[in-house]
């Protein structure tokens, strides 16, 4: 069955300005419990999430012509980012850094800081890769990161 009994509540950090973004179940071997669990939780504000500020967003391209591949990498502007409004990253290809003609490529875990695009991925008319925050209510109205390259 899907059941959880909370026996004790305690806080690991004294940083009250950083909201909780995960629920972690810690095993108690002395009580015969040996499995642990981790679940990302998000704040259901009832709207699409805001764009999360990144300090760096890079794309190392490994292909050329009308196909490409490579690795996206990003880092947060804040050392303790509030990812509570996000449930995952959505990666798009687009014709400009603002998301014009965007085409969905894939999802990445909210805890990820990189994503590999397979070599040989067709670009169509896209020359930008964009990273948007997403939750079950929708996608951020603007990208958290974009990287545009020149088609050869």
């Amino acid at each position: 069955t899907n059941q959880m009994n909370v026996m004790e509540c305690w806080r690991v950090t004294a940083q009250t300005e950083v909201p909780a973004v995960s629920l972690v179940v810690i095993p108690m071997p002395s009580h015969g419990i040996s499995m642990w669990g981790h679940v990302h939780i998000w704040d259901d504000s009832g709207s699409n999430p805001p764009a999360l500020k990144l300090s760096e967003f890079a794309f190392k391209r490994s292909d050329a012509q009308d196909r490409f591949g490579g690795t996206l990498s990003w880092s947060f502007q804040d050392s303790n980012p509030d990812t509570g409004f996000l449930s995952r990253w959505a990666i798009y290809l687009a014709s400009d850094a603002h998301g014009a003609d965007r085409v969905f490529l894939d999802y990445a875990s909210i805890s990820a800081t990189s994503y590999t695009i397979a070599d040989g991925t067709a670009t169509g008319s896209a020359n930008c890769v964009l990273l948007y925050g997403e939750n079950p209510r929708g996608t951020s109205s603007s990208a958290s990161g974009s990287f545009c390259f020149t088609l050869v």
Side-chain angles (χ1 to χ4, degrees):
T1 63
N2 294 328
Q3 179 179 349
M4 179 175 74
N5 295 319
V6 178
M7 297 167 42
E8 183 178 338
C9 180
W10 54 280
R11 191 177 185 114
V12 175
T13 178
Q15 296 176 331
T16 57
E17 73 278 0
V18 179
V21 294
S22 294
L23 174 65
V24 178
V25 178
I26 301 171
M28 297 178 62
S30 63
H31 289 90
I33 302 169
S34 61
M35 295 182 64
W36 66 277
H38 173 266
V39 176
H40 179 81
I41 56 175
W42 62 280
D43 182 353
D44 185 3
S45 63
S47 62
N48 294 6
L52 196 59
K53 294 181 180 176
L54 301 177
S55 62
E56 182 182 347
F57 184 74
F59 179 60
K60 184 177 179 186
R61 190 172 174 185
S62 61
D63 229 341
Q65 301 271 327
D66 62 341
R67 296 182 177 274
F68 75 108
T71 302
L72 287 170
S73 60
W74 57 91
S75 58
F76 297 106
Q77 189 172 18
D78 187 354
S79 60
N80 286 315
D82 180 3
T83 60
F85 291 101
L86 304 176
S87 57
R88 61 187 174 189
W89 293 110
I91 301 163
Y92 288 87
L93 299 177
S95 60
D96 69 20
H98 302 290
D101 305 316
R102 75 180 188 192
V103 176
F104 174 74
L105 184 62
D106 202 357
Y107 292 116
S109 164
I110 195 60
S111 61
T113 56
S114 67
Y115 177 85
T116 300
I117 297 173
D119 285 341
T121 298
T123 61
S125 63
N127 65 325
C128 296
V129 181
L130 293 91
L131 184 72
Y132 286 83
E134 218 178 61
N135 69 25
R137 299 284 182 181
T139 304
S140 296
S141 59
S142 60
S144 291
S146 64
F147 187 91
C148 297
F149 48 87
T150 303
L151 293 175
V152 179

